Amino acid sequence: MKIGITCYPTYGGSGAVATALGLELAHRGHEVHFITYAMPFRLRGYVERVYFHEVETRMAHYPLFEHFPYTLALASKQHEVAQREGLDLLHVHYAIPHATTAWLAREMLAAERRLQVITTLHGTDITLVGQESSFHAITRFSIERSNAVTAVSRYLAEETRRAFQLPALDIPVIPNFVDLAEYRPREDGEPCSGLAPAGHRVLIHISNFREVKRVQDVVRIFARVRRAMPATLLMVGDGPDREPAEQEARRLEVAEDVRFLGRLDSVTTLLQASDLFLLPSQTESFGLAALEAMACGVPVVASRAGGLPEVIDDGVTGILEPPGSVEAMGRRAIELLRDPVRHRAMAAAALAGARRYASEDVVPAYEALYQRVLQ
Ligand code: GMT
């Protein structure tokens, strides 16, 4: 098949999933065309059957456009690539604006031939952006006009039907997936990372530091752990709440043991060096970063919110507490870290839990959906 993929190329779960999917599909013999404004952050170097088409984000010397109409440029590029490369389908990740521009591209091509549009919903496109009054109607419209819509968790499928009053809409759940060859526990004998002083337990958080991630809670949970034992917190990523998190670390007098590492493309070595992953988000449709941690044998302390309970089994593969319950998350993290036998058992269960989401088992579900839509 010839598949066009549009996603946000920046640091975030939906772009990571879309890129991993494209690479897996190419590996399985399909031709994949990424259409977006920058090279997706996990797409690096030449890969056979993978192409990147850059969308313009500005126009020189045209003062009328105070705000460049990126969505129109994207729709035009999707149409152009679909026509020139003979794409069978456009698979767009994150509804706004990608499902809308894909619909436009399909309409532009309609006189010549059919182009199928598949939209994968990832989370905040439904739970935050799509429910803003300025986007609600167009999100609903674009979802309804897609030839197929998938969601990354049962929670998100249900929330979509509820928020857009589409009770009968078929939304197959195709969960996020992980490459178990890349995300795997550190093997005995592999060198340690030297990320923390000897004797320190290592806690880690990875995100885009947006409000929904509650990164200050990450620091608060860590501060409790730090008072109980020597520990280091690795903060990976960047975004609007990085500065407040740094301030919180100083206020709680743990700044010395919190390392802000910024955005990193590859996080496997860091995960492999960690004892706990912290994800106390307000909500999470799935929690891809949690899955990647589990695949490295790292138990996750997370919020009992959104789709996280579908990924993490409380008390077995990780710890779940309501969003904002810093005290309970900190207490249970300390109990776990103080009990090496339980920690080992939970790490092994986390790894086993992650195996349910192996890329080789999940990617064929997308291929089957493409085939169904194309018939
Ligand atoms: O979580 C983010 O801030 C990034 C966002 C995205 O769209 O890039 O992530 C969403 O999609 C991920 C991939 O499907 C999910 O694993 C995340 O849970 C989801 N984020 C939220 O629902 C907050």
Side-chain angles (χ1 to χ4, degrees):
M1 280 178 260
K2 291 189 174 191
I3 301 158
I5 292 183
T6 293
C7 62
Y8 281 105
T10 44
Y11 209 66
S14 58
V17 170
T19 309
L21 176 62
L23 293 172
E24 288 282 343
L25 289 167
H27 185 65
R28 296 167 80 91
H30 304 288
E31 191 174 297
V32 177
H33 295 262
F34 285 95
I35 308 165
T36 182
Y37 63 84
M39 182 78 86
F41 76 101
R42 285 191 178 174
L43 186 66
R44 291 283 173 264
Y46 171 76
V47 179
E48 208 178 342
R49 290 184 289 277
V50 174
Y51 303 87
F52 168 58
H53 307 270
E54 189 169 336
V55 182
E56 290 296 323
T57 54
R58 62 199 161 86
M59 201 167 140
H61 313 303
Y62 196 60
L64 188 65
F65 285 167
E66 202 177 318
H67 303 286
F68 181 78
Y70 170 70
T71 45
L72 298 183
L74 174 58
S76 300
K77 185 62 93 178
Q78 286 170 323
H79 167 256
E80 175 200 313
V81 175
Q83 190 178 46
R84 192 183 59 235
E85 306 292 341
L87 298 186
D88 297 302
L89 60 94
L90 277 177
H91 185 175
V92 300
H93 295 258
Y94 209 91
I96 292 292
H98 304 147
T100 319
T101 61
W103 168 77
L104 257 174
R106 186 183 69 193
E107 292 301 300
M108 289 164 75
L109 206 62
E112 284 169 50
R113 61 181 188 83
R114 284 158 64 92
L115 174 69
Q116 304 296 324
V117 172
I118 294 170
T119 299
T120 290
L121 307 173
H122 279 274
T124 45
D125 44 354
I126 296 301
T127 56
L128 293 177
V129 185
Q131 294 185 41
E132 285 279 316
S133 54
S134 37
F135 292 123
H136 190 273
I138 202 164
T139 305
R140 187 180 198 275
F141 172 86
S142 310
I143 288 173
E144 279 194 293
R145 291 301 185 282
S146 298
N147 299 96
V149 179
T150 76
V152 297
S153 62
R154 295 194 296 280
Y155 155 79
L156 188 59
E158 217 25 72
E159 180 57 13
T160 305
R161 290 191 201 94
R162 187 202 63 77
F164 296 98
Q165 295 101 43
L166 295 166
L169 185 69
D170 179 35
I171 309 179
V173 174
I174 304 183
N176 289 331
F177 55 88
V178 62
D179 178 356
L180 294 171
E182 182 181 351
Y183 292 88
R184 55 177 176 79
R186 188 166 60 89
E187 274 161 29
D188 289 343
E190 277 188 70
C192 281
S193 59
L195 282 157
H200 272 223
R201 308 316 295 267
V202 179
L203 289 80
I204 184 167
H205 170 79
I206 305 174
S207 79
N208 47 22
F209 288 53
R210 285 187 297 148
E211 195 184 346
V212 70
K213 302 291 172 181
R214 299 186 71 108
V215 281
Q216 283 158 285
D217 280 1
V218 173
V219 175
R220 291 175 191 138
I221 296 164
F222 171 72
R224 286 166 191 266
V225 173
R226 182 64 195 89
R227 268 179 242 129
M229 65 190 76
T232 294
L233 173 64
L234 307 178
M235 296 288 272
V236 185
D238 211 331
D241 282 0
R242 174 172 170 166
E243 180 55 36
E246 290 187 14
Q247 274 172 20
E248 192 66 357
R250 286 192 290 273
R251 189 183 73 80
L252 294 170
E253 298 177 355
V254 291
E256 229 174 66
D257 293 309
V258 182
R259 299 187 63 184
F260 287 86
L261 300 175
R263 284 194 190 105
L264 298 170
D265 286 357
S266 171
V267 290
T268 325
T269 340
L270 303 182
L271 288 170
Q272 288 172 338
S274 301
D275 298 294
L276 270 189
F277 187 91
L278 301 181
L279 192 64
S281 309
Q282 186 59 37
T283 185
E284 237 5 286
S285 70
F286 184 92
L288 178 67
L291 174 62
E292 292 174 345
M294 288 164 65
C296 292
V298 183
V300 181
V301 177
S303 300
R304 188 178 295 112
L308 284 168
E310 295 173 41
V311 183
I312 300 159
D313 194 355
D314 186 23
V316 182
T317 63
I319 290 168
L320 295 177
E321 289 291 340
S325 42
V326 169
E327 194 282 321
M329 290 185 191
R331 177 175 39 76
R332 291 185 67 190
I334 293 166
E335 282 164 12
L336 184 65
L337 291 170
R338 278 189 175 148
D339 185 343
V341 175
R342 226 182 113 229
H343 183 267
R344 257 197 309 278
M346 200 175 263
L351 175 56
R355 290 204 172 110
R356 292 183 292 146
Y357 299 98
S359 42
E360 59 267 34
D361 295 331
V362 177
V363 173
Y366 279 115
E367 283 177 301
L369 178 74
Y370 297 164
Q371 260 141 16
R372 179 160 69 75
V373 165
L374 287 171
Q375 271 158 19

